[in-house]
Amino acid sequence: MAGHSKWANIQHRKGRQDAARSKLFSKLAKEITVAAKMGDPDPDKNPRLRLAVKEAKSSSVPKDVIDRAIKKSLGGDAENYDEIRYEGYGPGGVAVIVEAMTDNRNRTASNVRSLFGKHGGNLGETNSVAFMFERKGQVTYPASVGDADTVMMAAIEAGAEDVESDDEGHVVWCGDTDLAEVSGALEAALGESASTKLVWRPGTTTELGLEEAQKLMKLIDALEDDDDVQNVTANFEISDAVMAQL
């Protein structure tokens, strides 16, 4: 996904992933707790929990943190989180989807609205930008797993819809309801994936110049730093020339 994967690359290059390690662990643990509370605490019987645990492991979350997050869902004092999606426009007219889990809707809505306004964006109504995206399953593999043809054949056999391969790796796309099945088949053929999750895939993207890209990065940074925000997706494209200046 153009904007999403580009942003992941930028994060990686700046080393933000290390700096935000504890925050990332906290957000992944929250997803595990919510998934376990909504369904069965056994990952083998709960597809959402299985994906949450898999994503946590791929991000090097320690086993004891994962186990604690599952046990937390069984306690009577576990927090009740609401899942909320916010939508709006960032600098340069880029569509932005913010997914949050919160125990206080008013606090989260106020924070997200304030961050959009402070960084040159506008928070819109629900479904104001979602029509520009599709909900998809995304499975990623490093380039070392095999060449494009090998991954393509495995993806076809697994029932995937599309594959994007480049020097950095392979991204396999599938229907949102097919993710557990497709990722399982890919794992049998190619081994453990680098990442397996549900994402918003943009149908169209907006190319940004340096100034607008810098402004958008500040907005995404600020949103991702909010404890209630789980994921931020935007439909932007950045050229290699602009990327090199970020």
Side-chain angles (χ1 to χ4, degrees):
M1 182 166 60
H4 199 82
S5 61
K6 290 279 191 185
W7 174 235
N9 292 343
I10 291 165
Q11 280 187 306
H12 181 70
R13 289 171 192 180
K14 288 186 174 181
R16 284 195 73 253
Q17 287 174 330
D18 290 337
R21 192 177 184 83
S22 63
K23 191 176 288 288
L24 174 64
F25 281 12
S26 174
K27 292 184 179 188
L28 291 169
K30 187 189 288 188
E31 166 63 20
I32 288 171
T33 299
V34 169
K37 191 171 185 179
M38 289 176 65
D40 195 291
D42 181 354
D44 291 332
K45 299 176 183 176
N46 183 336
R48 176 171 173 175
L49 177 58
R50 188 163 63 249
L51 288 174
V53 169
K54 184 178 174 67
E55 187 63 17
K57 286 180 178 177
S58 73
S59 297
S60 303
V61 176
K63 185 177 186 298
D64 64 312
V65 174
I66 293 173
D67 291 341
R68 225 173 20 245
I70 293 175
K71 286 176 183 173
K72 189 176 180 181
S73 72
L74 304 174
D77 58 346
E79 297 98 330
N80 287 311
Y81 292 110
D82 291 326
E83 294 182 88
I84 311 172
R85 187 177 81 229
Y86 299 98
E87 302 175 27
Y89 289 93
V94 169
V96 181
I97 292 180
V98 180
E99 295 169 284
M101 283 185 186
T102 180
D103 56 1
N104 186 326
R105 283 173 171 261
N106 290 336
R107 177 192 68 220
T108 308
S110 175
N111 288 350
V112 171
R113 184 176 293 107
S114 173
L115 289 171
F116 267 89
K118 183 179 178 181
H119 294 280
N122 290 291
L123 187 63
E125 300 294 323
T126 302
N127 294 320
S128 60
V129 305
F131 68 92
M132 300 182 196
F133 299 78
E134 284 185 283
R135 193 66 166 159
K136 291 292 183 183
Q138 182 196 67
V139 186
T140 62
Y141 278 94
S144 59
V145 80
D147 61 22
D149 288 341
T150 299
V151 176
M152 176 65 78
M153 288 306 297
I156 291 171
E157 289 290 325
E161 295 177 351
D162 190 20
V163 181
E164 295 174 354
S165 297
D166 59 25
D167 293 341
E168 295 183 2
H170 311 277
V171 181
V172 181
W173 297 99
C174 65
D176 56 345
T177 57
D178 301 329
L179 181 56
E181 185 178 339
V182 170
S183 65
L186 285 170
E187 193 169 313
L190 301 172
E192 191 80 17
S193 65
S195 174
T196 299
K197 56 190 173 183
L198 288 169
V199 301
W200 292 96
R201 187 183 191 186
T204 59
T205 56
T206 300
E207 181 147 358
L208 298 179
L210 180 59
E211 186 176 342
E212 288 175 333
Q214 289 172 330
K215 289 178 180 177
L216 181 66
M217 292 310 141
K218 287 180 181 176
L219 169 60
I220 293 176
D221 257 347
L223 288 168
E224 289 191 332
D225 280 341
D226 188 284
D227 289 338
D228 295 333
V229 172
Q230 291 291 102
N231 299 294
V232 181
T233 308
N235 70 339
F236 67 96
E237 187 78 58
I238 298 177
S239 69
D240 290 340
V242 171
M243 178 87 79
Q245 298 177 67
L246 287 173

